[in-house]
Amino acid sequence: MNNLPSDLKNHIQKTVLKRVIPCVLLLAVFGVLLLVWGRRIFNMDNPNMRILCYIVTMLIPLWITGVPKKLIDRTYRGEIIGMRVKRSVDNESYVKPTIEHMFYKNTVYLDLRLDNGKEVTVKAYEGRDTDLNPYFYQKGDRVFHLYGTKNTIVLPAEKKKAVRCAVCGLLNSTEDDECQDCGHTLVKD
Ligand SMILES: [Zn+2]
């Protein structure tokens, strides 16, 4: 999307850097480790075996940081043509999952017709089952998602008075141009 406000473009760049830099640093550390101690750590006769060990070792930083999976996202804008809510059980304590800590989680999938005519299904929302969410999406609404954020916001129709910030998710007045919390440009179509 080329017509994004420049502060939102900057936000995307920062998000990518924040995710890539730790991975690059870890890769460098592992690379140096292998260069210096590789032969001692993987002390084996078969050179092919050692190369395999090196490759597997270099995959560890990717696995720890979650790159490249974390980078798979995109900015999109489109109209909701279908909606599906999946209800599942989650637990807030990963260390010691108990029944007391169990809760219902809603995951909202939206079928969208993007502005370029393509039809896609996206995961728009994931969170606890409460009274409010996830039913703020309606068929026919136009939505917007900025790369790397957790939000898929509803673009305000003419009569609507509020719009969510695409970056932090705060509900702002449509009269404002910038988010009252994080200061990023509000996308109103
Ligand atoms: Zn904001």
Side-chain angles (χ1 to χ4, degrees), residues 13-173:
Q13 280 172 1
K14 269 189 231 156
T15 307
V16 173
L17 279 180
K18 248 190 259 169
R19 290 174 183 181
V20 169
I21 286 174
C23 183
V24 172
L25 287 178
L26 265 184
L27 278 173
V29 170
F30 274 64
V32 170
L33 274 177
L34 285 182
L35 268 179
V36 179
W37 288 298
R39 276 175 181 271
R40 230 183 291 168
I41 298 170
F42 301 112
N43 187 10
M44 46 191 71
D45 298 328
N46 188 340
N48 291 333
M49 202 57 202
R50 191 185 298 133
I51 289 170
L52 188 71
C53 289
Y54 281 22
I55 292 173
V56 171
T57 308
M58 291 306 278
L59 288 177
I60 294 174
L62 297 179
W63 176 70
I64 293 175
T65 57
V67 172
K69 196 182 147 207
K70 267 191 192 164
L71 295 176
I72 301 173
D73 191 16
R74 64 161 149 186
T75 299
Y76 57 78
R77 199 189 316 234
E79 186 191 328
I80 300 177
I81 53 176
M83 177 173 156
R84 216 155 19 95
V85 180
K86 203 181 106 195
R87 202 159 187 247
S88 54
V89 176
D90 207 346
N91 204 293
E92 63 191 6
S93 168
Y94 293 102
V95 191
K96 198 178 150 204
T98 51
I99 291 178
E100 290 79 38
H101 292 111
M102 275 194 338
F103 62 90
Y104 281 111
K105 186 176 79 176
N106 285 326
T107 309
V108 183
Y109 296 92
L110 298 177
D111 300 320
L112 300 178
R113 187 177 298 118
L114 302 181
D115 288 358
N116 60 15
K118 252 195 219 163
E119 289 182 8
V120 294
T121 299
V122 298
K123 190 163 101 176
Y125 175 87
E126 195 170 41
R128 244 167 213 270
D129 183 27
T130 66
D131 299 338
L132 278 173
N133 55 57
Y135 305 101
F136 43 71
Y137 296 112
Q138 274 167 13
K139 229 171 167 182
D141 279 346
R142 286 179 50 73
V143 292
F144 172 77
H145 168 76
L146 187 71
Y147 177 98
T149 66
K150 286 181 292 191
N151 310 306
T152 297
I153 63 161
V154 177
L155 294 168
E158 259 174 54
K159 53 189 184 306
K160 287 214 178 132
K161 291 197 167 67
V163 58
R164 239 169 244 288
C165 168
V167 176
C168 72
L170 183 82
L171 210 53
N172 285 268
S173 161

Side-chain angles (χ1 to χ4, degrees), residues 1-14 146:
M1 244 177 236
N2 300 318
N3 52 355
L4 279 180
S6 60
D7 63 313
L8 295 186
K9 281 186 190 160
N10 288 343
H11 185 267
I12 293 178
Q13 280 172 1
K14 269 189 231 156
L146 187 71

Side-chain angles (χ1 to χ4, degrees), residues 165-170 172 179-184 186:
C165 168
V167 176
C168 72
L170 183 82
N172 285 268
C179 174
Q180 296 296 305
D181 187 30
C182 70
H184 283 99
L186 296 171

